[in-house]
Amino acid sequence: MGGIPGAREELDRLGRALRTKLVELIDDLTPGSDLRLLFLDEPGVVDWHEPLRYQYWTSSFSGERPAHASAADIASRAAALLGSAGWEAATSQEDAGGRNRSVVTGRRDGCSIEIRVGDHGSLVYFGGRTPAMALYETEEFPWPEPARTAATVTPGYVLCYECDGLGWCPGCEGRGWVRDEARGRKNCSACHRDRVCLICRGAAQLAISELSPYQRGYYPELG
């Protein structure tokens, strides 16, 4: 799979910038937070349509706001910090289980940061994400070579009637997934991501002596 020139470098640059800004916000708004819990080390796939799109993101970091600071203070400070750093900042309100919560959103260079805080609790929630970017060129998945053929089947065996000697799942061609218009990819319903043929378990052939009456129906030449 060929990489798109410069794409990973650009995504990594944006990921580093996002992490730096989140660390600054966390240190200022919730001093003393354990930054080891800020997981933003590797990009993940967020769009499974071809070409796959990758993104750095975190949505689960939280820290304690200082006792003297109200939720409004934190929201105001967060918006000011983002704005002074060149981020487009906006503040809105959302319902959090019947209680009001402030949401400060910052956007810059395709990256976004969200900070959530309410007076009903002491936690401040931080989230952030980079743009979703394609890192690799789309490549067609090659149909695998069969594990067995009529010329190589073991004496006393027949080619598997399900995969015809392929060994891999014929439903997904051994990928473990199939294309899906809505989600890009979905798990193969035939092999459930096992990838191998569920009848022969990858052997590509079946022992004639172990065939059930039903299975023998696939081989009229056996009589």
Side-chain angles (χ1 to χ4, degrees), residues 108-173:
R108 180 178 177 179
D109 297 333
C111 295
S112 64
I113 288 176
E114 288 188 339
I115 301 166
R116 289 175 161 80
V117 59
D119 279 323
H120 55 278
S122 61
L123 291 179
V124 181
Y125 298 92
F126 299 85
R129 61 187 62 237
T130 64
M133 297 177 58
L135 301 183
Y136 305 97
E137 301 284 358
T138 300
E139 291 186 4
E140 289 300 319
F141 187 84
W143 184 270
E145 292 294 323
R148 295 280 179 176
T149 66
T152 62
V153 67
T154 303
Y157 285 73
V158 288
L159 291 178
C160 173
Y161 61 85
E162 180 71 11
C163 67
D164 197 29
L166 184 66
W168 299 104
C169 171
C172 64
E173 306 170 11

Side-chain angles (χ1 to χ4, degrees), residues 58-215:
T58 181
S59 60
S60 59
F61 190 90
S62 61
E64 294 272 350
R65 60 183 168 89
H68 65 272
S70 67
D73 292 335
I74 295 294
S76 177
R77 176 67 176 164
L81 289 171
L82 287 166
S84 65
W87 289 65
E88 180 184 342
T91 303
S92 60
Q93 303 295 314
E94 69 177 11
D95 179 76
R99 296 177 176 178
N100 200 42
R101 182 164 62 183
S102 296
V103 182
V104 180
T105 303
R107 291 185 171 84
R108 180 178 177 179
D109 297 333
C111 295
S112 64
I113 288 176
E114 288 188 339
I115 301 166
R116 289 175 161 80
V117 59
D119 279 323
H120 55 278
S122 61
L123 291 179
V124 181
Y125 298 92
F126 299 85
R129 61 187 62 237
T130 64
M133 297 177 58
L135 301 183
Y136 305 97
E137 301 284 358
T138 300
E139 291 186 4
E140 289 300 319
F141 187 84
W143 184 270
E145 292 294 323
R148 295 280 179 176
T149 66
T152 62
V153 67
T154 303
Y157 285 73
V158 288
L159 291 178
C160 173
Y161 61 85
E162 180 71 11
C163 67
D164 197 29
L166 184 66
W168 299 104
C169 171
C172 64
E173 306 170 11
R175 291 176 291 190
W177 53 267
V178 295
R179 299 193 189 281
D180 179 72
E181 184 175 347
R183 294 172 290 177
R185 293 181 182 181
K186 64 180 180 180
N187 291 344
C188 176
S189 60
C191 70
H192 305 288
R193 293 191 64 83
D194 279 349
R195 300 181 60 202
V196 298
C197 172
L198 295 187
I199 300 300
C200 65
R201 302 305 303 175
Q205 60 183 4
L206 301 170
I208 295 175
S209 62
E210 297 177 3
L211 293 175
S212 69
Y214 169 78
Q215 290 175 319

